[in-house]
Amino acid sequence: MTFFLLLVMLTACAATPQDLSGKMLIFPQQTNTAHVRLTASTQSFGAVTVCHRSFTDLKRDHVLFSLATPSSANDFVIFWDEANKEMDPHIKNVKTEYKGWDYKSNMWHSICTTWDSESGLVQLWFDGQPSIKKFISSGSNIGGSTIIILGQEQDSHGGGFDSTQCFTGMMSDVHMWDYTLSPCEIQKYMKGLNFTPGNVLNWSALEFQITGRVLIEDKQKNCD
Ligand SMILES: *[C@@H]1O[C@H](CO)[C@@H](O)[C@H](O)[C@H]1NC(C)=O
Ligand SMILES: [Ca+2]
């Protein structure tokens, strides 16, 4: 009986996952409020892969992915630094810089980032090209009560948003795994082929909550 009640409560609390295949999130306005909060299936990560596609015309700093825990607002963050023209993964509050990518406006870019706590190495994949691997942080998991947000960069656990760092444009195909994907799997993701969906965040079964003006639309298809 107790088990049954617990089951009913759990079912009532859980947001229904939605299949966003073929769809994109639109962030149409610069604000310090509009965002999407994603619900992860697990809360502790000895390794991570995060992939996403984004499309923007921003010519300023902006965030692409923000995961915060109570102890670290930048536990897993992907951030574009416009002044230095670099894509910066932050992992466990440590930043690395990747320069030299052709991060053009007004087109889709596919970005995957891998990290594992054993080697402490991070690697970024940009439109099919792998970066070098860099040491960032080893020896302990990302964990605690994680809050994952698209559209805004967290300076505190679930807050501290800054409109000059928000994302405007479109985002799609956000996946997260609690292991590092093989280069072949990453290439499959980049090419839009069949790949293993994220076991932590799965775009085809995504639990999320929208705050403010963020819309969901079908991705444009080619007409020919
Ligand atoms: C992702 O979601 C799809 C659609 O619900 C499902 O078929 C697939 O098994 C899920 N994959 C994982 C790894 O959870
Ligand atoms: Ca910030």
Side-chain angles (χ1 to χ4, degrees), residues 55-159:
F55 186 122
T56 186
D57 66 353
L58 285 172
K59 287 291 170 211
R60 59 160 169 79
D61 292 354
H62 56 273
V63 67
L64 294 171
F65 187 89
S66 171
L67 183 157
T69 57
S71 59
S72 158
N74 299 323
D75 239 12
F76 198 101
V77 173
I78 308 301
F79 193 83
W80 173 254
D81 175 338
E82 175 70 21
N84 298 303
K85 300 277 186 282
E86 57 191 35
M87 198 58 81
D88 294 345
H90 297 243
I91 293 166
K92 300 194 68 76
N93 264 346
V94 183
K95 181 178 86 159
T96 46
E97 296 111 11
Y98 282 114
K99 290 185 200 288
W101 302 117
D102 196 8
Y103 187 52
K104 283 199 183 105
S105 292
N106 299 313
M107 60 179 286
W108 286 100
H109 294 289
S110 304
I111 296 171
C112 292
T113 310
T114 65
W115 167 80
D116 75 86
S117 61
E118 206 172 309
S119 69
L121 298 182
V122 60
Q123 184 174 36
L124 195 118
W125 290 72
F126 184 89
D127 292 343
Q129 298 299 314
S131 73
I132 64 164
K133 293 187 176 184
K134 293 192 185 191
F135 178 79
I136 184 160
S137 174
S138 68
S140 63
N141 283 12
I142 289 174
S145 158
T146 57
I147 296 183
I148 302 174
I149 283 179
L150 303 177
Q152 300 287 342
E153 201 270 323
Q154 304 174 72
D155 277 355
S156 62
H157 192 226

Side-chain angles (χ1 to χ4, degrees), residues 13-15 36-43 146-149 199-202 205-209:
C13 290
V36 181
R37 182 167 165 171
L38 309 180
T39 306
S41 63
T42 32
Q43 294 285 304
T146 57
I147 296 183
I148 302 174
I149 283 179
N199 64 339
V200 177
L201 297 173
N202 179 352
L206 198 67
E207 278 182 45
F208 62 94
Q209 203 185 345

